[in-house]
Amino acid sequence: MVMNFSRRLAGLQERMLAESIDLVVYGSCQNFQYITGLPIKWRGGVDLMHSDDNVFVPQEGAPVLTLSQRSGRHGKASWIGDTRVLEKEESYTDLVKKVASDLDWRAGRIGVGEHVFGSTWIEVARSFPGARFRGASSLMDDLRMIKDPGEIEALRRVARLTENVMGDVIPEIESGITQNELSIFIDMLGRKAGVTDVSFPPTGLFIKNGSEPTPEPNSYPRDEGLVAGTSIALDVGFVLDGYCSDWGRSLYWGPVGEDIRKGYVALQSAVVKTVDKMYEGSMRVCDVFLIIEDFLDKDGYGDHLRARLSDGTVGHQIGVEVHENPWLKPDNMQELQEGMVMCLEPKLWKAGEYYLRVEDMVLIHKNRAEFLTNYDREQFQL
């Protein structure tokens, strides 16, 4: 997979120029990975990261990467030529001062991203005199929204691996398994298959038909075993080569009523028919929910569309983070663009009877859309 880092740098610097930002500093976070390409872990607790791992990006010219001794082994993997590993006897204060001098700092605005330690802020403030600070966490959101070919290949791989893992998980679901056990099993098989992390803890939400209606669907005790007449809403995401998957299907344990079966068919159909209408410029992000809703209304299940009960959100973009902008919300007027990869995740919920979900990763092309996830849409009753 060849990532286009020159595009990313140019795009970031264009945005810096437009917003009068002279320098951006990112600690170990999603934007650090995006701009450096380094596999330094940032998804866990901030306390597990190192304050010396930062990238300094000027408005013009090449970036400077500073790495702790612990992370120094990753330096050769970065495309950034000016990579400086903190030496054993060297202080980070001296290293940052040298970076400021080499960048010929004269005062200006510095954008600071996520996971920049307070101690790093202090060193930057001392070494870059006359700096005025602002947040820069969302500076590359629209740049990250359009995936380059290397990113698309990474997303294909993690999507394919996710479906392969779930193809091994589903035949092992049996009476008596709990939601906690199912979550652990999915996580274990994913890591055995080579994933480096999970996008979020995997879930299989149980709803027993004929149970007491509740305000929220997660009322089935997580340590109570699976029994007949229960829907299982799977929501699974893995991380591979720094990119995320997000996938969902529903299953049903035991004999299933015709209303529930038809509901799942309607949900799958609504997703497929909506994706058939998606390509660059064909609609706005805010239209996706309305189209799904219209198909479900025609099949008689619109009143059970979960998003209708809240804010109309029916998905999101995906990439180095599992949830990226723009979210598929009614107030987002962004037109579809080639290179977007989004997750459509409508759910049908009838309190006390079922909770059904379908989630697919979808790539937008110039004249069509493509499912990156294609797991069996007919599999339902187990």
Side-chain angles (χ1 to χ4, degrees), residues 301-336:
Y301 287 89
D303 286 342
H304 302 305
L305 182 60
R306 173 72 170 149
R308 184 181 281 183
L309 305 176
S310 53
D311 62 0
T313 300
V314 75
H316 51 86
Q317 303 296 300
I318 191 168
V320 296
E321 288 183 286
V322 66
H323 299 126
E324 295 189 347
N325 288 319
W327 284 75
L328 308 185
K329 294 183 175 182
D331 61 354
N332 196 317
M333 303 299 170
Q334 167 75 52
E335 282 198 348
L336 298 189

Side-chain angles (χ1 to χ4, degrees), residues 179-253:
Q179 293 173 84
N180 285 330
E181 290 169 341
L182 181 55
S183 178
I184 292 168
F185 185 54
I186 293 169
D187 190 311
M188 179 185 71
L189 288 195
R191 293 182 191 275
K192 273 186 162 183
V195 307
T196 55
D197 210 335
V198 291
S199 305
F200 48 84
T203 61
L205 182 65
F206 295 175
I207 293 287
K208 173 73 171 68
N209 189 16
S211 60
E212 186 71 25
T214 57
E216 293 295 328
N218 54 342
S219 60
Y220 199 110
R222 291 193 59 80
D223 58 354
E224 189 171 302
L226 178 65
V227 297
T230 299
S231 59
I232 307 167
L234 295 164
D235 190 11
V236 177
F238 293 131
V239 181
L240 182 68
D241 297 324
Y243 281 78
C244 298
S245 66
D246 196 357
W247 173 95
R249 289 291 186 272
S250 276
L251 305 167
Y252 202 87
W253 186 253

